Amino acid sequence: MKLQRKNMLRASALGALVVSGALVLTACGSDDNTKTADGTAKPSAAAAGDIKCDDAKGKLLASGSSAQKNAVELWVKNYMAVCSGVEVNYKSSSSGEGIVAFNQGSVGFAGSDSALKPEQVEESKKVCTGGQGVNLPMVGGPVALGFNVAGVDKLNLDAATVANIFNDKIKKWDDEAIKKLNPGVTLPSTAIQAFHRSDDSGTTENVTKYLKAAAPDAWPHEAAKKWAAPGGQAASGSAGVAAQVKQVDGAIGYFELSFAGSQGIKTVDLNTGAAAPVKATGENASKAIAAAKIAGTGCDLALKLDYTTKAEGAYPLVLVTYEVVCDKGNKAETLPTVKSFLNYTASDSGQKVLLENGYAPIPAEINAKVREVIKTLG
């Protein structure tokens, strides 16, 4: 099964990363996605060959999104193995904490599962001298709904039912709404234990954006980083939610797919209105992310995702993690390392690493623009 899963994820890189023709961008760099800025062909993807240390040196501090923790740990390991004398230290906390740290000037970049708000951009101008914070999409993937219900190996849910579970309206696993979506499955009367994030989280914001878009009648709360629904239990970070789901019979929670894989947690298939419920896989997330449009302007590459897609095989509960950087006004002592490290994460080999860990690479056309922006950082 593990091999089959890896093969499915690798396939996503080949066939699913085509971006909607409606995508429009006024960017810092060239719109020619087949060449680098100097007109030469893009380099091939070699594991170490895509790591260019350049003038990187010393220690680079970064923090934020726990959803991208597993990806960043791999990137850091690979990067530091090549660039001796450089230390990249990423503190996995939450998107909210990462943006606060960035706007306080204490980190070289922040990871966030949601784009900067206008007021956060304004605040960033205080530390980005002559510039501002911009969003560079770097990690894609499905937000899994992990469950632990004794005797149940497969579970289908739709957006309205998920909303009612997390909104404390559906309290037992044998509720009629759940049974209707799972004919032939014996569901116990076990009480539902719904776990959500305790910290301000971009993952939470993406989950609530999905629920607000796909089940507006069942989810009356606004999409936000802070959990607003009544009931349920809270845990810190994606790892904390996954650990609780793993331990508690009757539990359900949300976290990035790699946390489900590493903990051996079963995940919900989503009934989207397509011919069949859709599994949470990197391949299926790529099909949804590939339809994203760039909503940012200039160097900002914030994306607009479609959480209501009914396309066959498209898993709509997805997130894109951004690395938040200054377009201008970066600290001189860390700028070379920021550019060197992000050049690797956005490289062909850096993106391919994502496939091995339940993530989805950023669609190729968008990723080409990310690389162009990184070159212009000052």
Side-chain angles (χ1 to χ4, degrees):
M1 289 295 291
K2 187 175 181 181
L3 179 60
Q4 181 183 21
R5 176 173 172 270
K6 283 189 176 183
N7 288 338
M8 288 177 65
L9 291 172
R10 289 191 181 99
S12 68
L14 301 176
L17 301 183
V18 178
V19 185
S20 167
L23 183 149
V24 177
L25 172 67
T26 303
C28 303
S30 167
D31 285 336
D32 183 351
N33 295 324
T34 65
K35 296 181 179 180
T36 59
D38 61 6
T40 59
K42 290 180 184 176
S44 61
D50 277 348
I51 299 176
K52 306 296 183 185
C53 304
D54 297 325
D55 296 322
K57 60 183 178 180
K59 180 183 288 188
L60 171 62
L61 299 179
S63 69
S65 164
S66 65
Q68 69 170 7
K69 172 180 179 290
N70 295 333
V72 175
E73 285 181 351
L74 273 171
W75 282 334
V76 169
K77 178 182 177 182
N78 293 346
Y79 180 79
M80 289 174 56
V82 174
C83 298
S84 59
V86 181
E87 180 183 347
V88 180
N89 188 326
Y90 181 80
K91 179 185 176 183
S92 171
S93 51
S94 68
S95 298
E97 290 180 48
I99 291 172
V100 168
F102 177 77
N103 280 340
Q104 290 175 342
S106 59
V107 295
F109 71 88
S112 178
D113 306 329
S114 58
L116 292 168
K117 301 284 192 296
E119 60 271 21
Q120 293 170 331
V121 173
E122 283 302 311
E123 189 177 354
S124 74
K125 294 178 181 179
K126 298 175 184 177
V127 294
C128 301
T129 307
Q132 65 181 44
V134 294
N135 305 283
L136 302 182
M138 200 69 71
V139 181
V143 180
L145 295 169
F147 69 95
N148 178 5
V149 182
V152 179
D153 294 322
K154 182 176 173 55
L155 186 66
N156 299 326
L157 296 175
D158 59 16
T161 306
V162 173
N164 284 325
I165 286 172
F166 281 101
N167 206 28
D168 206 30
K169 300 293 186 183
I170 295 178
K171 300 177 182 293
K172 299 283 187 180
W173 280 110
D174 62 351
D175 187 276
E176 287 301 318
I178 301 177
K179 288 168 68 173
K180 184 178 180 180
L181 293 165
N182 295 273
V185 176
T186 301
L187 294 163
S189 59
T190 307
I192 294 174
Q193 307 286 340
F195 287 90
H196 58 264
R197 292 279 291 272
S198 60
D199 45 338
D200 284 4
S201 160
T203 307
T204 294
E205 185 168 8
N206 280 278
V207 169
T208 54
K209 281 181 177 178
Y210 163 72
L211 294 175
K212 188 69 175 177
D217 293 337
W219 191 257
H221 316 287
E222 292 302 316
K225 288 187 176 73
K226 188 174 182 62
W227 187 258
Q233 301 177 59
S236 178
S238 294
V241 175
Q244 290 299 315
V245 173
K246 175 73 172 178
Q247 295 170 11
V248 177
D249 183 28
I252 186 170
Y254 57 86
F255 32 80
E256 200 280 327
L257 181 61
S258 69
F259 290 91
S262 64
Q263 297 274 355
I265 298 171
K266 302 179 186 70
T267 61
V268 170
D269 295 352
L270 286 178
N271 186 329
T272 65
V278 185
K279 294 184 178 299
T281 68
E283 179 183 18
N284 293 341
S286 289
K287 292 177 182 177
I289 295 171
K293 298 178 177 66
I294 293 178
T297 59
C299 294
D300 187 86
L301 303 182
L303 301 179
K304 180 176 178 59
L305 300 169
D306 181 6
Y307 297 99
T308 62
T309 180
K310 297 181 181 180
E312 296 300 326
Y315 184 84
L317 181 46
V318 296
L319 62 76
V320 169
T321 294
Y322 302 94
E323 311 313 333
V324 177
V325 296
C326 294
D327 58 357
K328 301 296 178 187
N330 289 278
K331 293 179 181 178
E333 62 269 26
T334 57
L335 176 60
T337 308
V338 168
K339 294 178 74 170
S340 171
F341 181 68
L342 294 184
N343 271 326
Y344 164 57
T345 65
S347 70
D348 290 336
S349 61
Q351 289 291 297
K352 284 182 179 179
V353 165
L354 301 177
L355 295 172
E356 302 168 9
N357 293 274
Y359 294 98
I362 297 301
E365 184 178 347
I366 296 174
N367 191 49
K369 297 182 185 298
V370 171
R371 286 187 262 196
E372 293 297 325
V373 171
I374 292 170
K375 292 175 186 176
T376 70
L377 299 180

